[in-house]
Amino acid sequence: MPSILAAPWWVAQLATGAKSFRDNPLIGSRRLNELGLHRGRVQLAHRLAWARRARLAAGLSAADREAFDRDGFVIVRDFLPPAVFAALRDSVLAHRFATREMRQGNTITRRVAIGPDFLQAVPEARALLQDQRFRALCRYVGSFRSEPLHYIQTILTDSGVPDPDPQTELHADTFHPTLKTWFFLNDVEEEDGPFSYVPGSHRLTPARLAWERDRSLGAGISTDFLSARGSLRIAPQELDALGLPQAKHFPVPANTLVVADTCGFHARVGATRPSRRLELWSFSRRNPFIPWTGGDMLSVPGIAERRIDLMWRIRDRFQKWAGQPWQPSGTKLVLDD
């Protein structure tokens, strides 16, 4: 009876970005995926994303578009003028904020929502959030005219703890193109666990599509929890068969912007020393089967900047059913231990 009642919800999810092979028996069905369900969803999502990008390219420079189309990411050093960057960094470091944290292995991720209260305390953040190049990159890479969710994010890693961070395994966030950005507020050296990305892995080649199909056949019963939830992991030795190079590491100085499509294979490099990585981090993931680029009511001013607090409050209220990995962790400086 519970399965019968849930069946309409499982069917409806096929037309959304739902990705969990474990939680939806249709998405995770070996038989349906043998018949082409997962492959078809992947193909349609990528086709629509590139069609939307073609309509969003007007505000993007030719160099940025070429770099992204080739590699799946764009990296820009010295993004803000030095004085503007210094004012933003110093203001973020000087204030205490209400924080939330999540632990994965030996790493704690701390987040501060960038909303009305934050922008009142740190108006310098608008220099990045309202920058036209930043906004054009977010629209093109994300393939929607939507406002991303913005956070101040601190990655605190204790390399002496043997429990590894699962984010250090190469993976795709989901089956369809999606946006993440990192604007680094401090220097990130190789020992600190920089961002890494497999160049060109955002493109849906025949080899990648075959790999997606093969993985979908057993993902629902995989012992790898995150792969079973739809964030498929890949071993470095598998890349050659897909015609892909090894992941490129990006130790970068402060004031560097990275914008990437995280359906491409990426990871956080394992830190080899205790480290604190500080960044303004942005994220956007909309229903991949929407053919139009706009019409996102959640991006309307007055709503967009309040979404994170609302989302956290809803998950707090219903965490028994929806889960809530982001737990309140007090008022802190962003680099507090």
Side-chain angles (χ1 to χ4, degrees):
M1 182 60 70
S3 295
I4 293 172
L5 294 174
W9 172 242
W10 292 335
V11 172
Q13 284 189 320
L14 298 180
T16 73
K19 63 177 183 172
S20 177
F21 300 98
R22 175 180 177 270
D23 299 324
N24 184 316
L26 302 181
I27 292 173
S29 168
R30 180 182 182 92
R31 178 60 177 157
L32 291 178
N33 289 329
E34 286 176 338
L35 293 172
L37 175 62
H38 180 68
R39 180 177 58 198
R41 294 180 81 222
V42 171
Q43 286 179 302
L44 179 58
H46 280 256
R47 187 179 302 122
L48 288 170
W50 284 103
R52 290 191 301 267
R53 283 170 176 156
R55 302 197 296 274
L56 293 168
L60 201 65
S61 72
D64 284 347
R65 184 177 183 182
E66 180 182 357
F68 173 76
D69 290 355
R70 180 188 63 242
D71 297 327
F73 57 84
V74 177
I75 295 183
V76 187
R77 298 190 180 208
D78 300 317
F79 188 81
L80 292 178
V84 175
F85 168 75
L88 168 58
R89 178 200 58 206
D90 293 347
S91 188
V92 169
L93 292 174
H95 287 84
R96 292 183 174 273
F97 304 101
T99 63
R100 296 217 177 203
E101 294 178 353
M102 176 177 66
R103 175 183 286 276
Q104 291 181 294
N106 58 10
T107 300
I108 290 175
T109 301
R110 175 181 298 151
R111 286 184 182 169
V112 176
I114 296 182
D117 292 343
F118 178 92
L119 290 172
Q120 185 175 6
V122 187
E124 296 86 353
R126 298 183 190 276
L128 176 69
L129 302 182
Q130 297 177 357
D131 182 271
Q132 291 306 304
R133 186 181 184 186
F134 174 74
R135 294 178 66 82
L137 280 166
C138 287
R139 289 193 296 267
Y140 185 76
V141 175
S143 81
F144 284 107
R145 200 177 299 277
S146 295
E147 184 67 23
L149 300 169
H150 303 292
Y151 305 81
I152 296 297
Q153 177 168 275
T154 311
I155 308 296
L156 303 106
T157 301
D158 182 356
S159 60
V161 176
D163 190 10
D165 176 1
Q167 299 305 321
T168 61
E169 302 174 40
L170 280 175
H171 63 279
D173 281 353
T174 188
F175 68 92
H176 61 86
T178 189
L179 165 75
K180 284 184 180 177
T181 80
W182 297 259
F183 180 67
F184 294 101
L185 296 173
N186 60 1
D187 296 340
V188 181
E189 299 180 356
E190 184 69 25
E191 297 81 3
D192 299 320
F195 176 71
S196 70
Y197 196 98
V198 177
S201 61
H202 67 308
R203 295 192 296 269
L204 189 61
T205 62
R208 172 66 183 272
L209 187 58
W211 181 87
E212 289 277 348
R213 177 191 179 277
D214 289 345
R215 290 300 304 274
S216 73
L217 300 182
I221 57 173
S222 174
T223 56
D224 179 343
F225 179 74
L226 293 175
S227 287
R229 293 293 300 275
S231 180
L232 295 175
R233 267 51 190 165
I234 187 169
Q237 57 268 27
E238 295 180 76
L239 295 172
D240 187 60
L242 273 64
L244 293 170
Q246 290 300 304
K248 186 174 181 180
H249 297 188
F250 297 101
V252 294
N255 198 15
T256 295
L257 174 68
V258 177
V259 183
D261 177 355
T262 53
C263 83
F265 298 125
H266 63 286
R268 183 186 305 137
V269 177
T272 57
R273 65 185 181 192
S275 64
R276 296 180 180 89
R277 206 179 84 181
L278 181 63
E279 57 218 20
L280 194 158
W281 183 86
S282 303
F283 165 81
S284 182
R285 184 184 299 170
R286 202 174 169 194
N287 186 329
F289 301 115
I290 295 175
W292 52 84
T293 61
D296 183 5
M297 295 304 296
L298 295 179
S299 291
V300 173
I303 297 176
E305 61 271 26
R306 292 174 169 83
R307 287 173 297 168
I308 298 173
D309 281 335
L310 178 61
M311 177 180 63
W312 277 344
R313 290 174 186 274
I314 290 173
R315 296 194 73 166
D316 287 344
R317 179 68 178 82
F318 298 104
Q319 62 181 299
K320 180 179 178 180
W321 299 276
Q324 174 54 294
W326 296 100
Q327 294 298 317
S329 51
T331 301
K332 298 180 179 180
L333 297 171
V334 291
L335 291 182
D336 273 351
D337 287 337

